[in-house]
Amino acid sequence: MDWKTLLKEEFSAPYYAALQEKLLIERQKTTVYPEADRVLYALEKTPCEAVRAVILGQDPYHEPRQAMGLSFSVADGTTYPPSLRNIFKELQDDLGICCAHGDLTAWAEQGVLLLNTVLTVERGKANSHADWGWQRFTDAVIRATNALEQPIVFILWGAQAQKKEHMIRTEAPRLILKAPHPSPLSSYRGFFGSRPFSKTNAFLTLHGQIPIDWQVK
């Protein structure tokens, strides 16, 4: 089983074809992030059978050289956006880990699905593609993920991510971790001190899974 099979109804649905056509036209008129070959990068880097944790973001970074197709991640050498800086601060406080750069591909390759709920954005305009239909597609990804049999941690930061909680079935081996968004606007309301990284590893260990190495080297 792979994402293409699990999501075949979405990929063949009229709304998805219309979304791709609209995106193609938009790329001819303006700058859209991430690059076309990175829109589904989260699914490419984390096969469905490998998923052990899900971190939901809102939409891609909208400034140059930031969005790379993984939620909260930026390319090596890019200055950390404020939310990522706070994530790394919490990681250091939680596990004593310092990260060398902001590319979270190593997390994705260990089974952390870094999924934004909206997968594209116009340069300089946050949430500009929020009503394009991506939510229907990523909701399907969340449901497909939840239908998997392996233990999975769902890390829901902020109100938008927490709206997806109703899609998660608690009778399976699941852990739902909720906290305010790591944005500077809300991080001090409970994101700091929430310890999602150690809690994720404790859950995985309890269910006989290898813990995630959260250090970005």
Side-chain angles (χ1 to χ4, degrees):
M1 192 68 70
D2 57 19
W3 290 120
K4 186 176 180 180
T5 303
L6 291 176
L7 300 169
K8 62 182 179 180
E9 292 185 6
E10 305 305 314
F11 286 127
S12 61
Y15 87 89
Y16 190 83
L19 174 57
Q20 297 310 305
E21 183 177 359
K22 185 174 183 179
L23 190 55
L24 181 62
I25 294 171
E26 190 71 9
R27 286 190 187 278
Q28 295 172 349
K29 298 189 300 182
T30 187
T31 300
V32 174
Y33 297 130
E35 298 294 334
D37 62 350
R38 290 297 187 102
V39 172
L40 298 179
Y41 194 57
L43 302 183
E44 295 174 16
K45 297 306 294 184
T46 309
C48 55
E49 71 272 9
V51 176
R52 296 189 287 157
V54 180
I55 296 179
L56 287 179
Q58 185 167 309
D59 66 339
Y61 296 125
H62 56 270
E63 297 300 332
R65 297 179 299 280
Q66 291 185 335
M68 56 171 295
L70 303 175
S71 63
F72 297 105
S73 180
V74 295
D76 187 359
T78 303
T79 301
Y80 301 162
S83 293
L84 182 58
R85 189 182 308 118
N86 286 339
I87 289 169
F88 282 167
K89 181 180 186 301
E90 177 61 18
L91 178 58
Q92 183 173 14
D93 292 345
D94 187 3
L95 293 175
I97 288 174
C98 294
C99 293
H101 54 81
D103 185 345
L104 305 181
T105 300
W107 292 6
E109 291 174 341
Q110 294 181 78
V112 182
L113 181 60
L114 297 167
L115 181 70
N116 282 314
T117 55
V118 174
L119 298 185
T120 57
V121 69
E122 182 179 343
R123 175 177 176 170
K125 297 183 179 180
N127 296 319
S128 51
H129 295 180
D131 298 325
W132 278 31
W134 280 124
Q135 294 273 6
R136 177 173 171 179
F137 178 78
T138 55
D139 281 358
V141 175
I142 295 169
R143 291 190 179 96
T145 302
N146 188 52
L148 299 170
E149 295 301 320
Q150 67 262 31
I152 299 175
V153 181
F154 286 84
I155 301 172
L156 309 179
W157 290 333
Q160 293 301 315
Q162 288 165 24
K163 289 179 180 179
K164 312 299 183 182
E165 183 179 2
H166 68 95
M167 302 180 188
I168 303 168
R169 58 188 178 113
T170 55
E171 66 271 15
R174 300 286 182 262
L175 176 64
I176 301 172
L177 298 176
K178 297 187 291 184
H181 195 276
S183 160
L185 297 175
S186 56
S187 55
Y188 286 94
R189 300 175 187 166
F191 174 77
F192 291 132
S194 60
R195 305 192 66 185
F197 309 102
S198 61
K199 290 177 180 177
T200 294
N201 281 352
F203 173 84
L204 293 173
T205 300
L206 178 65
H207 289 277
Q209 305 295 307
I210 299 172
I212 294 163
D213 180 2
W214 294 103
Q215 188 165 22
V216 178
K217 302 173 184 177

